[in-house]
Amino acid sequence: MDFSIWKNIEFAHPAFFGLLALVPVMIYWYIARQQKRQVAMEMSSLQGLKGLPVSWKVKMRPLLLVLRLVAFSALVVALARPQTSNTSESIDSEGIDIVLAIDISGSMLAQDLQPDRLEAAKKVAMNFVDARISDRIGLVIFSGESFTQCPITTDHAVLKNQIAQVKSGMLQDGTAIGMGLATSVDRLRTSKAKSKVIILLTDGVNNTGLIDPLTALEIGKAFKIRVYTIGVGTVGKAPFPMTMPDGTIQMQMQDVQLDEPLMKKISAETGGKYFRATNNKDLENIYGEIDQLEKTKVEITSYKRFAEHFFPLAILALACILLEVVLRYTVFRSLP
């Protein structure tokens, strides 16, 4: 019998343990019965009986009571139905395939968000990834050209590592929104997911690239991809770090240029939504809202299986009863 299982044992009918209150009654009844069976004999002196050996049968007779008590206790525990349970879960998830398209052009180094636009975008993107446990997510970066930094994957640790490595200057400078959108659509066009989403973040105006944003928009619509667009930057002017001829960095205020009409058109025609982030808190709230809008359907079905463990106790009780009967009518047999 494996006693290790008793660490996780449960009882289906614990009320039967109340029967164990009869154990003291059985002991009392046995002692009283033994006293009644003793025969009184008057003797002038017990001096001659001192030192006589006590028969082993007399010493071992309480064994009958022990066997009866063990049998009774084992039966009570068996009636309480000791059992262990094994719970398994079946998870059915309708995951969403998502591509994060992040602008890494030089203007993303503006410090109207802290420490700058790009670092703020990276931070909230990683938090967003942590919240999307069952989704496949990829990363596209763009500036004057676009590049798939990480294909859509469920390995979120790898994805977050790739996000952390993103920095401005990795690609030719400029703002090719059309290229960033087109590359993101290409990552999702073969997806079998029921829902396909792009979160496109930029702080500028499309000024370069081989693919026009409106062309990329039509391709996205053809593949039924929802696009959420995020415009980053304060209204008016923002502090930009500028490298001086002597190599020093100075902050200069420059106009914020953001093509909001284009961003709104892309999101509206694909069934998404446009957001404007002028500070870090705005950006966090935007990703939080997208997380709520794009909820993944996850169904968890639990199965609980019980294994019964009363049988060894029933066998123990039967063995004790049989042994008591055999000993009572053989070794410990007494005359009426």
Side-chain angles (χ1 to χ4, degrees):
M1 182 177 178
D2 183 7
F3 291 98
S4 64
I5 62 173
W6 291 88
K7 293 187 218 176
N8 304 312
I9 210 75
E10 299 174 7
F11 293 93
H13 306 297
F16 278 105
F17 283 117
L19 293 174
L20 293 177
L22 295 175
V23 170
V25 176
M26 294 171 68
I27 295 173
Y28 173 80
W29 176 81
Y30 174 81
I31 294 173
R33 187 166 175 267
Q34 288 300 110
Q35 289 177 345
K36 283 184 179 180
R37 294 185 63 178
Q38 292 179 358
V39 179
M41 181 182 295
E42 291 186 3
M43 298 186 69
S44 59
S45 174
L46 297 175
Q47 190 67 30
L49 298 177
K50 287 184 178 180
L52 289 177
V54 179
S55 169
W56 67 269
K57 289 186 179 182
V58 175
K59 290 182 179 179
M60 297 299 294
R61 192 167 188 82
L63 177 63
L64 298 177
L65 174 63
V66 173
L67 289 172
R68 183 171 296 183
L69 292 177
V70 171
F72 178 76
S73 300
L75 280 174
V76 169
V77 178
L79 286 171
R81 280 185 62 191
Q83 52 190 214
T84 52
S85 60
N86 178 29
T87 303
S88 60
E89 291 184 343
S90 174
I91 301 177
D92 182 17
S93 172
E94 289 184 7
I96 299 173
D97 282 356
I98 302 171
V99 169
L100 304 175
I102 299 177
D103 187 346
I104 64 166
S105 59
S107 59
M108 286 292 288
L109 296 177
Q111 296 182 8
D112 46 354
L113 277 71
Q114 298 302 318
D116 58 45
R117 294 173 181 174
L118 182 57
E119 289 303 317
K122 287 164 56 177
K123 181 177 181 296
V124 294
M126 285 193 276
N127 292 338
F128 179 79
V129 170
D130 286 334
R132 311 296 300 192
I133 299 172
S134 60
D135 296 324
R136 297 199 310 164
I137 307 176
L139 174 64
V140 168
I141 56 175
F142 67 94
S143 52
E145 52 189 344
S146 61
F147 177 73
T148 301
Q149 181 79 356
C150 182
I152 52 175
T153 178
T154 55
D155 192 337
H156 291 177
V158 170
L159 174 61
K160 288 172 65 178
N161 183 55
Q162 291 297 315
I163 294 173
Q165 293 180 23
V166 169
K167 59 184 178 180
S168 183
M170 294 176 67
L171 302 173
Q172 177 184 333
D173 202 16
T175 305
I177 296 174
M179 292 290 290
L181 180 57
T183 302
S184 301
V185 169
D186 187 54
R187 292 293 92 196
L188 293 171
R189 63 184 176 84
T190 57
S191 168
K192 303 298 182 184
K194 289 188 176 182
S195 186
K196 295 175 282 188
V197 172
I198 294 171
I199 303 175
L200 189 148
L201 181 147
T202 183
D203 67 344
V205 177
N206 188 79
N207 54 27
T208 187
L210 300 176
I211 300 177
D212 183 76
L214 296 181
T215 303
L217 166 60
E218 294 303 319
I219 299 172
K221 287 165 62 177
F223 288 104
K224 298 180 180 179
I225 298 171
R226 264 191 311 283
V227 183
Y228 292 93
T229 54
I230 303 173
V232 180
T234 55
V235 178
K237 294 181 179 292
F240 285 81
M242 300 294 292
T243 303
M244 298 293 103
D246 59 359
T248 60
I249 304 294
Q250 290 187 8
M251 302 305 295
Q252 293 187 0
M253 300 300 293
Q254 294 188 12
D255 292 331
V256 174
Q257 296 181 341
L258 185 61
D259 193 348
E260 285 194 305
L262 173 63
M263 305 289 278
K264 290 177 180 178
K265 182 178 178 64
I266 291 172
S267 59
E269 293 194 16
T270 58
K273 190 175 180 180
Y274 169 71
F275 302 91
R276 179 68 183 269
T278 59
N279 54 57
N280 292 59
K281 191 63 179 176
D282 285 348
L283 197 55
E284 291 174 10
N285 292 339
I286 288 166
Y287 273 90
E289 185 173 343
I290 296 173
D291 181 44
Q292 293 299 315
L293 289 170
E294 293 293 339
K295 276 299 180 184
T296 301
K297 181 182 177 184
V298 179
E299 291 183 0
I300 301 177
T301 306
S302 294
Y303 302 93
K304 201 166 189 179
R305 298 179 179 85
F306 292 95
E308 302 287 348
H309 300 289
F310 68 86
F311 187 71
L313 293 165
I315 294 296
L316 174 62
L318 180 61
C320 288
I321 292 171
L322 289 176
L323 182 58
E324 185 206 355
V325 171
V326 171
L327 291 177
R328 183 178 297 278
Y329 292 103
T330 56
V331 176
F332 297 110
R333 184 177 181 181
S334 58
L335 296 175

